[in-house]
Amino acid sequence: MSVEFALSDDSRLRPDVCVLLPEKAGQLDFDLSPIPGAPDLAIEVISPTDRTVECHEKVLAFLRSGTAEVWQIYPDSHALEIYKSETRRSLTGDQPVTTDLLPGFSVPLSSFFTA
Amino acid sequence: MPTIATMSGAQFDALPYDEGRRWELLEGELIEVPSPTPEHQDIVFAVLLALKLYLKEHRLQGAAYEDVEFALSHVVRLRPDVCVLLPEKARRLDRKRIPIPGAPDLAIEVISPSERTSESRAKVDAYLRYGVAEVWQIYPDSRVLEIYKGEKGRSTVSVDQHVTTDLLPGFSVTLSSFFE
C-alpha cells in the first residue's frame, strides 16, 4: 500500500514509490497519515488507464511542493522520464538509472522490467 | 493501451474519409482521436498563426499545417494538431495528396482531457523514431510546454518563458501567447 502525502491544502497524492532522504525521514512521524509535505523522490508507474493531463499535473504538483525529482516509468515502452523543476531527462534500454539524490545508486533501467 | 482493432496502413487508408478521421493508426493499432474542444482549437490556431507568421516574415519556403495526416511507416498514420515542414521537406510536398509520406520536422500536440498517458507517450516515441526532430506537447490547463528531442533530450517551457527552437532560427514567442 502506498503512502499518502499532503502536498498542500488541496493536494493529497500517493506516489507508487517514494524516497525520503535522511533529513525528511528523521522528522517522519510513523503514526501520522497523510505525511505533511512532499517526498524527495516520487516514482509513478504509468497504468493503461492513466490520463495524460492528470499524470502531468501530478508531476507538476510534486515539483511545486518541493519534490526534487519525479520519475515516470512507462511499462509499454520500457522508458523512464525524469522530471526536475527546470529540466527533463529520458532513459531507455539498458541505460543506468542514476540520480544526484542517491549518490552511488545505479541500476540498469531494464532491471525495472524483469519480473 | 486498449486495442480497438489492428490493421495495416493500406487498410486504414481505404477507410471512408469520415471514418478514418476519427482514428489514428499507431503500429497497426487504431487509436481514437477525441473531438476537439473550443479551447483546444483556439490554442491550435494561435500556434499555427505564430508559425505561419514566422515562416512569412523570414521568407522561408517551409509549411505549417493543422491536422494533416502523415504515413510515418506502413503501420503508422498520425495527425499532429500542428506540424511544420522545413523548406527541404516542404519543397517535395505534393499538396494534393494525403497521407503525406514520411514525417514532419516538428509535430505539435495540444493535449486533450481524455487522452491516455501511455498513448500520448507512444505517439511521441513514434514521431521521434520515424524522423520528427522535435515533438511539442502543450498542456492547456497547466500552461506548460514539454519539448521532446529524441537523443538530444527533453526540455520544458513555463507560461512566462519564450518558446524557441533550433529548427526555426529567430522564432520566439512567449508561451502565454498560445493561450490568449
Side-chain angles (χ1 to χ4, degrees):
Chain A
M1 188 69 186
S2 51
V3 294
E4 189 172 300
F5 290 86
L7 299 178
S8 68
D9 286 347
D10 53 2
S11 291
R12 297 286 183 278
L13 291 181
R14 276 204 322 264
D16 290 320
V17 179
C18 68
V19 175
L20 300 175
L21 294 180
E23 198 189 317
K24 282 194 183 175
Q27 295 158 8
L28 188 63
D29 177 349
F30 286 90
D31 295 324
L32 185 69
S33 179
I35 299 170
D40 295 295
L41 170 62
I43 303 174
E44 298 277 14
V45 180
I46 302 301
S47 306
T49 54
D50 273 348
R51 306 255 178 215
T52 314
V53 170
E54 270 168 27
C55 291
H56 188 252
E57 280 174 359
K58 280 193 209 178
V59 168
L60 298 180
F62 278 121
L63 295 176
R64 240 189 343 259
S65 309
T67 297
E69 283 188 17
V70 182
W71 295 2
Q72 279 184 342
I73 297 174
Y74 287 84
D76 286 345
S77 46
H78 287 202
L80 171 66
E81 297 283 339
I82 300 179
Y83 297 82
K84 299 194 203 187
S85 59
E86 302 291 327
T87 60
R88 307 284 189 257
R89 196 155 64 95
S90 179
L91 300 179
T92 53
D94 259 334
Q95 286 182 284
V97 181
T98 60
T99 163
D100 295 341
L101 297 176
L102 307 171
F105 177 83
S106 179
V107 296
L109 175 59
S110 56
S111 70
F112 289 172
F113 305 107
T114 46
Chain B
M1 73 193 79
T3 301
I4 300 156
T6 57
M7 61 175 69
S8 70
Q11 287 170 312
F12 182 85
D13 296 342
L15 288 175
Y17 182 70
D18 284 340
E19 276 295 300
R21 278 182 62 83
R22 295 178 51 222
W23 310 95
E24 291 173 303
L25 189 72
L26 192 50
E27 304 302 344
E29 287 187 19
L30 279 183
I31 56 175
E32 203 166 0
V33 177
S35 278
T37 60
E39 177 187 59
H40 181 278
Q41 296 305 76
D42 279 341
I43 295 168
V44 164
F45 182 78
V47 172
L48 185 62
L49 183 64
L51 290 166
K52 282 192 176 277
L53 279 174
Y54 164 82
L55 292 172
K56 195 173 176 186
E57 281 167 7
H58 289 72
R59 299 175 194 282
L60 289 174
Q61 303 299 311
Y65 299 109
E66 171 188 349
D67 197 31
V68 292
E69 192 173 297
F70 289 85
L72 297 164
S73 85
H74 66 288
V75 285
V76 179
R77 299 287 183 275
L78 291 178
R79 263 194 345 256
D81 288 319
V82 178
C83 68
V84 175
L85 299 173
L86 295 179
E88 198 190 315
K89 282 192 183 175
R91 258 198 304 277
R92 297 193 310 248
L93 179 69
D94 177 350
R95 291 167 65 231
K96 295 185 187 303
R97 191 180 150 206
I98 54 159
I100 298 170
D105 294 293
L106 170 61
I108 303 172
E109 298 279 10
V110 179
I111 302 298
S112 302
S114 61
E115 267 184 67
R116 305 277 182 197
T117 314
S118 55
E119 223 163 74
S120 304
R121 158 87 205 186
K123 279 196 209 181
V124 170
D125 283 347
Y127 280 129
L128 295 176
R129 191 164 53 243
Y130 295 114
V132 174
E134 280 188 23
V135 182
W136 294 2
Q137 281 184 340
I138 297 173
Y139 289 84
D141 286 345
S142 47
R143 304 196 163 195
V144 168
L145 166 66
E146 300 284 351
I147 300 178
Y148 301 82
K149 288 182 274 198
E151 299 289 300
K152 292 197 206 115
R154 309 278 195 253
S155 55
T156 185
V157 179
S158 57
V159 70
D160 51 345
Q161 291 179 316
H162 279 79
V163 183
T164 60
T165 163
D166 294 342
L167 296 178
L168 308 171
F171 179 81
S172 180
V173 296
T174 56
L175 182 56
S176 61
S177 69
F178 292 165
F179 305 109
E180 280 158 9

